[in-house]
Amino acid sequence: MKPRLSRRAMLQLGGGALLGAWAAQSRAPLAAPPAGGYRWRNWSGLQSCAARELATPGDEAELAKLLHEAARTGVPLRCVGAGHSFSPLVPTAGKLVSLDRMSGLLSHDAAAGEATLLAGTRIGLLARLLDEKGLALRNQPDIDAQSYAGAISTATHGTGAGLPALHADARALRLLTPSGLALDCGKGRDDDLLQAARVSLGSLGVIARATVAALPAYHLQRKLWLLPAQDMLEAAPELARRHRHFEFYYLPFTGYAAAIVHDIRPPGPASRPASADEDMLRELRRLRDWLGGMPALRRWTARRLIDPDLSELAFDKSWRLLSTVRPTRFNESEWHVPREAGIACVREVIDKLERRNDVFFPLEFRFVKADDAWLSPFYRRDSCSIAIHAAAGEPHDYLLTEIAPLFRRYEGRPHWGKLHPYGAADFAALYPRWSDFLKLRRELDPKGALLNHHLRRVFGVPA
Amino acid sequence: MAMDWAMAAGRWLGWAWLGVLAGCGGGKPQAADLQRAESMRPADARLAGKYQRSCLICHGNQASQAPLAGFAPAWKPRLEKGMPLLLAHVRDGFNAMPVRGYCNDCSDEEFGRLIAFMAGDGGEGAR
């Protein structure tokens, strides 16, 4: 049996002093907003802005009025959801709009396998509301605080080689535009608009409602186990093929990776071990803090501490297992590469990451099925997703300066809501329907009422 | 990112129980506490709607490390710091809680009532 550090030993090594630093990540109070204005900050604390106002329309008429005003006055408007995007999609000196009051299920049709919801509904609430009707989403992202509109607009996804991202299950959308249009698309109406609107970064209009595919409610069993990293890289494609959901986490400077699979099982009593995610993250960070300057000793210590034979099982309703909550704030960059190149790419990324002794956050590797949305990073390309993280408040520039160039060589498409250095020319080369999308954007929002500085760079629109 | 790897890895490292909920104090919620946190709602239907779409995501889930709704021992030390500070935390964000706690249409008065409800002091009742 591997030796393990006891709590006492950890404290003797100085952990007690570090606990204080982790006990509360208080944030500086937000600066006073402009008169009558609103100061916004994203979840990680990286992005912020002083907006003129935070508007919370209660229905489509109020939302349409806000859009009309934006077009008329030239004061731009950006929608904000849960603030879980790390890229600056939200910041504006204009007006922020939250769809928090436009939340809830409007109808459901179990026979057709679909439900219609207001687009401000958060994923976690949507899952609960569907469950009350005996339904469930086909897949979920691993964080469920996002509004539905925000999640699909940035191509938020879960994992599963045979499962597409959330937006692919949007069968119909209603889009309100700055020019005063209420456009319904999907289910035989304007399929091109649906494929453009599914992933549209809030740039075509504001999604007010959606009809989404839903399955009969189902239970999942989760299994989690460790493998030496090299074994995991070899086994990953087969594990992805055999299981409905498969992903792995590479634990930096340990030589190990953790596999997680979920598979559908008949209903039964729930069984969920208490999450120890934060404790593990704390210990990986502590190992970095103590031994980061001695990577060989850091690896040796980690190998001595890890018992690779243990595994865990959990069983519950799908929505309770597929999504969770993140107590520790971080910044993130995520790239989607062609599936056949995923393992080769992640090998390079791991090698590059471990040249930096300050890295301790696990790397996440997932599988996503192709879809047809014009700006989907999975557009007609089965993909592997590679996510890299840095703790909030720690340096993260290297995610873009050192790691992003690797993804470029693999034709990686960045997650829209996560950090990336790309501009319009990069995207034009990556997205076959890029120019079609730009043309549609100009038609629906000719004055750029829905753009901010970041989106102007993304779309190549001069200020 | 999902970090469920830690559910097992924490145990593999033998450190899983180290520093759990540092700063929360008041002991560990039991199964009944977790079930109650999942099911309790404010009696006021309007407030219940806001609670369900905003607060429940974290305060009904122990994994979030946010103080669990209805679990008084987690709230007692926080309440002792005074409602003005708790309201400031909601407005500015605190730990993993974002600015305005996922409730962009909540007033300060409603935030206060939601805190009172979650702290289980009977201020809003439960159903």
Side-chain angles (χ1 to χ4, degrees):
Chain A
M1 175 177 279
K2 300 276 186 182
R4 300 180 191 177
L5 285 181
S6 68
R7 180 183 189 183
R8 176 173 297 178
M10 291 291 282
L11 294 176
Q12 285 171 343
L13 283 167
L18 289 167
L19 276 179
W22 277 83
Q25 304 169 41
S26 59
R27 307 186 196 184
L30 289 166
Y38 179 72
R39 186 84 186 174
W40 173 85
R41 183 166 54 200
N42 77 334
W43 175 78
S44 77
L46 184 65
Q47 307 295 346
S48 64
C49 71
R52 289 195 182 194
E53 179 188 342
L54 172 67
T56 55
D59 55 33
E60 290 182 13
E62 291 181 19
L63 177 57
K65 187 178 176 187
L66 288 166
L67 285 160
H68 175 72
E69 284 175 5
R72 181 179 62 81
T73 63
V75 175
L77 179 157
R78 288 295 297 157
C79 271
V80 59
H84 269 272
S85 283
F86 305 96
S87 58
L89 287 169
V90 169
T92 180
K95 194 173 289 190
L96 286 175
V97 172
S98 161
L99 299 184
D100 272 3
R101 291 175 64 208
M102 295 176 65
S103 172
L105 210 56
L106 295 171
S107 64
H108 71 284
D109 183 339
E114 64 184 30
T116 298
L117 60 129
L118 293 169
T121 313
R122 297 187 189 281
I123 302 299
L125 177 60
L126 174 59
R128 289 171 188 273
L129 296 175
L130 288 175
D131 186 57
E132 290 172 4
K133 308 296 183 187
L135 298 170
L137 294 171
R138 180 157 53 151
N139 200 359
Q140 286 189 205
D142 48 26
I143 295 174
D144 62 359
Q146 306 95 324
S147 70
Y148 181 80
I152 66 166
S153 294
T154 52
T156 296
H157 62 97
T159 190
L163 301 171
L166 204 59
H167 60 262
D169 279 343
R171 291 182 177 174
L173 297 173
R174 176 172 294 170
L175 193 68
L176 304 189
T177 74
S179 49
L181 300 173
L183 302 173
D184 285 303
C185 55
K187 304 188 82 170
R189 300 173 66 176
D190 205 341
D191 192 54
D192 266 2
L193 179 61
L194 178 68
Q195 298 300 6
R198 275 174 166 163
V199 181
S200 48
L201 311 176
S203 70
L204 299 182
V206 178
I207 297 170
R209 64 172 62 188
T211 298
V212 303
L215 304 181
Y218 58 99
H219 284 65
L220 290 173
Q221 182 185 62
R222 173 168 63 207
K223 183 178 180 185
L224 186 156
W225 71 101
L226 276 185
L227 280 176
Q230 294 308 317
D231 294 349
M232 184 68 78
L233 294 176
E234 290 176 16
E238 176 61 13
L239 288 169
R241 193 186 64 78
R242 281 174 32 207
H243 297 278
R244 188 175 194 264
H245 309 259
F246 164 73
E247 60 190 316
F248 75 76
Y249 294 84
Y250 180 75
L251 311 179
F253 293 96
T254 69
Y256 281 93
I260 302 173
V261 297
H262 289 86
D263 289 292
I264 294 179
R265 295 287 183 266
S271 169
R272 270 190 298 163
S275 171
D277 292 3
E278 289 302 296
D279 305 312
M280 178 62 193
L281 192 58
R282 183 185 298 114
E283 303 314 333
L284 285 174
R285 181 171 187 159
R286 191 170 297 175
L287 203 57
R288 185 278 309 268
D289 290 345
W290 293 340
L291 303 174
M294 298 172 283
L297 180 59
R298 182 179 175 186
R299 292 176 200 278
W300 181 87
T301 304
R303 280 197 296 272
R304 293 287 294 167
L305 292 169
I306 288 177
D307 177 356
D309 295 329
L310 293 179
S311 65
E312 285 200 4
L313 289 175
F315 179 86
D316 212 331
K317 291 180 175 180
S318 60
W319 58 277
R320 292 186 192 276
L321 290 184
L322 291 175
S323 299
T324 186
V325 183
R326 299 281 156 247
T328 296
R329 290 179 293 121
F330 53 83
N331 289 304
E332 179 178 357
S333 183
E334 183 174 39
W335 297 76
H336 312 293
V337 301
R339 184 167 296 175
E340 58 276 14
I343 297 299
C345 181
V346 77
R347 282 184 195 276
E348 285 200 51
V349 172
I350 289 171
D351 181 63
K352 194 82 171 176
L353 276 178
E354 293 201 340
R355 293 181 197 179
R356 293 186 60 96
N357 290 341
D358 57 341
V359 168
F360 73 94
F361 251 90
L363 171 152
E364 184 179 21
F365 188 90
R366 292 183 279 181
F367 289 79
V368 186
K369 185 177 168 60
D371 66 80
D372 291 321
W374 290 0
L375 295 196
S376 168
F378 318 104
Y379 179 77
R380 298 190 177 175
R381 195 168 89 177
D382 290 340
S383 303
C384 288
S385 298
I386 301 168
I388 46 182
H389 315 78
E394 294 199 358
H396 62 269
D397 289 353
Y398 69 92
L399 300 178
L400 305 184
T401 57
E402 298 178 26
I403 312 297
L406 286 179
F407 291 113
R408 183 183 294 276
R409 287 199 284 107
Y410 285 90
E411 299 182 3
R413 295 169 175 159
H415 190 303
W416 290 110
K418 301 181 184 180
L419 297 172
H420 66 79
Y422 279 10
D426 303 300
F427 292 118
L430 288 169
Y431 286 91
R433 302 300 298 268
W434 184 252
S435 60
D436 296 325
F437 185 91
L438 296 188
K439 179 171 180 287
L440 182 61
R441 194 209 64 74
R442 285 193 298 271
E443 290 171 9
L444 296 181
D445 182 22
K447 296 179 180 175
L450 297 175
L451 299 181
N452 65 2
H453 177 76
H454 175 69
L455 285 182
R456 287 182 183 279
R457 184 173 68 84
V458 164
F459 294 135
V461 179
Chain B
M1 59 171 275
M3 289 183 282
D4 298 314
W5 48 270
M7 292 176 58
R11 289 163 180 76
W12 295 321
L13 291 171
W15 302 335
W17 35 267
L18 180 63
V20 171
L21 301 180
C24 287
K28 188 177 178 183
Q30 302 302 304
D33 300 313
L34 302 178
Q35 191 168 13
R36 175 178 160 78
E38 274 270 324
S39 57
M40 62 186 280
R41 300 287 186 276
D44 179 323
R46 182 181 167 88
L47 200 66
K50 294 187 175 186
Y51 172 79
Q52 179 162 286
R53 67 169 149 84
S54 304
C55 313
L56 180 61
I57 295 169
C58 298
H59 291 283
N61 182 347
Q62 190 187 13
S64 74
Q65 299 196 0
L68 197 66
F71 187 60
W75 287 93
K76 185 170 179 293
R78 293 174 166 85
L79 291 173
E80 287 171 355
K81 294 175 181 174
M83 188 60 83
L85 180 64
L86 297 183
L87 285 174
H89 284 172
V90 179
R91 280 194 301 264
D92 295 338
F94 187 70
N95 288 340
M97 181 169 61
V99 173
R100 303 193 66 79
Y102 294 131
C103 189
N104 286 313
D105 61 323
C106 280
S107 65
D108 274 7
E109 185 262 344
E110 287 173 318
F111 281 133
R113 291 171 63 198
L114 287 165
I115 291 170
F117 165 73
M118 289 188 284
D121 71 349
E124 285 296 336
R127 60 176 168 83

PDB file of all heavy atoms in Angstrom, chain A residues 423-434:
ATOM      1  N   GLY A 423      -8.786  36.490 -33.813  1.00  0.00           N
ATOM      2  CA  GLY A 423      -9.578  37.557 -34.401  1.00  0.00           C
ATOM      3  C   GLY A 423     -10.244  37.063 -35.677  1.00  0.00           C
ATOM      4  O   GLY A 423     -10.206  35.865 -36.009  1.00  0.00           O
ATOM      5  N   ALA A 424     -10.826  38.002 -36.421  1.00  0.00           N
ATOM      6  CA  ALA A 424     -11.669  37.657 -37.562  1.00  0.00           C
ATOM      7  C   ALA A 424     -10.943  36.795 -38.599  1.00  0.00           C
ATOM      8  O   ALA A 424     -11.519  35.836 -39.135  1.00  0.00           O
ATOM      9  CB  ALA A 424     -12.197  38.932 -38.214  1.00  0.00           C
ATOM     10  N   ALA A 425      -9.688  37.115 -38.883  1.00  0.00           N
ATOM     11  CA  ALA A 425      -8.976  36.358 -39.919  1.00  0.00           C
ATOM     12  C   ALA A 425      -8.785  34.900 -39.504  1.00  0.00           C
ATOM     13  O   ALA A 425      -8.870  33.985 -40.334  1.00  0.00           O
ATOM     14  CB  ALA A 425      -7.618  37.010 -40.183  1.00  0.00           C
ATOM     15  N   ASP A 426      -8.531  34.695 -38.218  1.00  0.00           N
ATOM     16  CA  ASP A 426      -8.373  33.317 -37.722  1.00  0.00           C
ATOM     17  C   ASP A 426      -9.672  32.530 -37.884  1.00  0.00           C
ATOM     18  O   ASP A 426      -9.672  31.384 -38.330  1.00  0.00           O
ATOM     19  CB  ASP A 426      -7.973  33.335 -36.239  1.00  0.00           C
ATOM     20  CG  ASP A 426      -6.709  34.115 -35.994  1.00  0.00           C
ATOM     21  OD1 ASP A 426      -5.670  33.730 -36.564  1.00  0.00           O
ATOM     22  OD2 ASP A 426      -6.758  35.113 -35.251  1.00  0.00           O
ATOM     23  N   PHE A 427     -10.766  33.176 -37.508  1.00  0.00           N
ATOM     24  CA  PHE A 427     -12.043  32.460 -37.578  1.00  0.00           C
ATOM     25  C   PHE A 427     -12.473  32.210 -39.020  1.00  0.00           C
ATOM     26  O   PHE A 427     -13.084  31.185 -39.315  1.00  0.00           O
ATOM     27  CB  PHE A 427     -13.119  33.239 -36.816  1.00  0.00           C
ATOM     28  CG  PHE A 427     -12.883  33.272 -35.336  1.00  0.00           C
ATOM     29  CD1 PHE A 427     -12.682  34.467 -34.672  1.00  0.00           C
ATOM     30  CD2 PHE A 427     -12.840  32.098 -34.606  1.00  0.00           C
ATOM     31  CE1 PHE A 427     -12.456  34.498 -33.310  1.00  0.00           C
ATOM     32  CE2 PHE A 427     -12.605  32.100 -33.245  1.00  0.00           C
ATOM     33  CZ  PHE A 427     -12.408  33.316 -32.590  1.00  0.00           C
ATOM     34  N   ALA A 428     -12.161  33.136 -39.895  1.00  0.00           N
ATOM     35  CA  ALA A 428     -12.534  32.949 -41.297  1.00  0.00           C
ATOM     36  C   ALA A 428     -11.901  31.676 -41.864  1.00  0.00           C
ATOM     37  O   ALA A 428     -12.492  30.998 -42.710  1.00  0.00           O
ATOM     38  CB  ALA A 428     -12.099  34.168 -42.107  1.00  0.00           C
ATOM     39  N   ALA A 429     -10.717  31.366 -41.365  1.00  0.00           N
ATOM     40  CA  ALA A 429     -10.028  30.173 -41.852  1.00  0.00           C
ATOM     41  C   ALA A 429     -10.552  28.889 -41.209  1.00  0.00           C
ATOM     42  O   ALA A 429     -10.323  27.796 -41.726  1.00  0.00           O
ATOM     43  CB  ALA A 429      -8.526  30.304 -41.566  1.00  0.00           C
ATOM     44  N   LEU A 430     -11.241  29.025 -40.098  1.00  0.00           N
ATOM     45  CA  LEU A 430     -11.678  27.846 -39.345  1.00  0.00           C
ATOM     46  C   LEU A 430     -13.137  27.484 -39.568  1.00  0.00           C
ATOM     47  O   LEU A 430     -13.554  26.354 -39.302  1.00  0.00           O
ATOM     48  CB  LEU A 430     -11.456  28.072 -37.841  1.00  0.00           C
ATOM     49  CG  LEU A 430     -10.006  28.057 -37.359  1.00  0.00           C
ATOM     50  CD1 LEU A 430      -9.920  28.554 -35.913  1.00  0.00           C
ATOM     51  CD2 LEU A 430      -9.422  26.657 -37.461  1.00  0.00           C
ATOM     52  N   TYR A 431     -13.933  28.447 -39.992  1.00  0.00           N
ATOM     53  CA  TYR A 431     -15.381  28.227 -40.087  1.00  0.00           C
ATOM     54  C   TYR A 431     -15.856  28.379 -41.530  1.00  0.00           C
ATOM     55  O   TYR A 431     -15.888  29.501 -42.072  1.00  0.00           O
ATOM     56  CB  TYR A 431     -16.127  29.211 -39.178  1.00  0.00           C
ATOM     57  CG  TYR A 431     -16.003  28.863 -37.711  1.00  0.00           C
ATOM     58  CD1 TYR A 431     -14.978  29.386 -36.936  1.00  0.00           C
ATOM     59  CD2 TYR A 431     -16.900  27.982 -37.120  1.00  0.00           C
ATOM     60  CE1 TYR A 431     -14.853  29.042 -35.594  1.00  0.00           C
ATOM     61  CE2 TYR A 431     -16.788  27.630 -35.786  1.00  0.00           C
ATOM     62  CZ  TYR A 431     -15.760  28.173 -35.033  1.00  0.00           C
ATOM     63  OH  TYR A 431     -15.639  27.822 -33.710  1.00  0.00           O
ATOM     64  N   PRO A 432     -16.277  27.286 -42.182  1.00  0.00           N
ATOM     65  CA  PRO A 432     -16.699  27.352 -43.585  1.00  0.00           C
ATOM     66  C   PRO A 432     -17.856  28.313 -43.841  1.00  0.00           C
ATOM     67  O   PRO A 432     -17.963  28.885 -44.923  1.00  0.00           O
ATOM     68  CB  PRO A 432     -17.119  25.898 -43.884  1.00  0.00           C
ATOM     69  CG  PRO A 432     -16.354  25.064 -42.907  1.00  0.00           C
ATOM     70  CD  PRO A 432     -16.235  25.897 -41.679  1.00  0.00           C
ATOM     71  N   ARG A 433     -18.739  28.528 -42.853  1.00  0.00           N
ATOM     72  CA  ARG A 433     -19.885  29.421 -43.052  1.00  0.00           C
ATOM     73  C   ARG A 433     -19.654  30.794 -42.421  1.00  0.00           C
ATOM     74  O   ARG A 433     -20.605  31.524 -42.143  1.00  0.00           O
ATOM     75  CB  ARG A 433     -21.156  28.776 -42.458  1.00  0.00           C
ATOM     76  CG  ARG A 433     -21.517  27.424 -43.025  1.00  0.00           C
ATOM     77  CD  ARG A 433     -21.780  27.473 -44.542  1.00  0.00           C
ATOM     78  NE  ARG A 433     -22.884  28.316 -44.918  1.00  0.00           N
ATOM     79  CZ  ARG A 433     -24.142  27.898 -45.063  1.00  0.00           C
ATOM     80  NH1 ARG A 433     -24.438  26.619 -44.873  1.00  0.00           N
ATOM     81  NH2 ARG A 433     -25.104  28.721 -45.434  1.00  0.00           N
ATOM     82  N   TRP A 434     -18.403  31.143 -42.205  1.00  0.00           N
ATOM     83  CA  TRP A 434     -18.080  32.405 -41.527  1.00  0.00           C
ATOM     84  C   TRP A 434     -18.652  33.616 -42.273  1.00  0.00           C
ATOM     85  O   TRP A 434     -19.318  34.471 -41.685  1.00  0.00           O
ATOM     86  CB  TRP A 434     -16.561  32.525 -41.394  1.00  0.00           C
ATOM     87  CG  TRP A 434     -16.103  33.736 -40.632  1.00  0.00           C
ATOM     88  CD1 TRP A 434     -15.505  34.846 -41.131  1.00  0.00           C
ATOM     89  CD2 TRP A 434     -16.219  33.959 -39.219  1.00  0.00           C
ATOM     90  NE1 TRP A 434     -15.224  35.744 -40.120  1.00  0.00           N
ATOM     91  CE2 TRP A 434     -15.662  35.227 -38.940  1.00  0.00           C
ATOM     92  CE3 TRP A 434     -16.753  33.214 -38.167  1.00  0.00           C
ATOM     93  CZ2 TRP A 434     -15.611  35.757 -37.648  1.00  0.00           C
ATOM     94  CZ3 TRP A 434     -16.704  33.751 -36.881  1.00  0.00           C
ATOM     95  CH2 TRP A 434     -16.137  35.005 -36.638  1.00  0.00           C
TER      96      TRP A 434
END
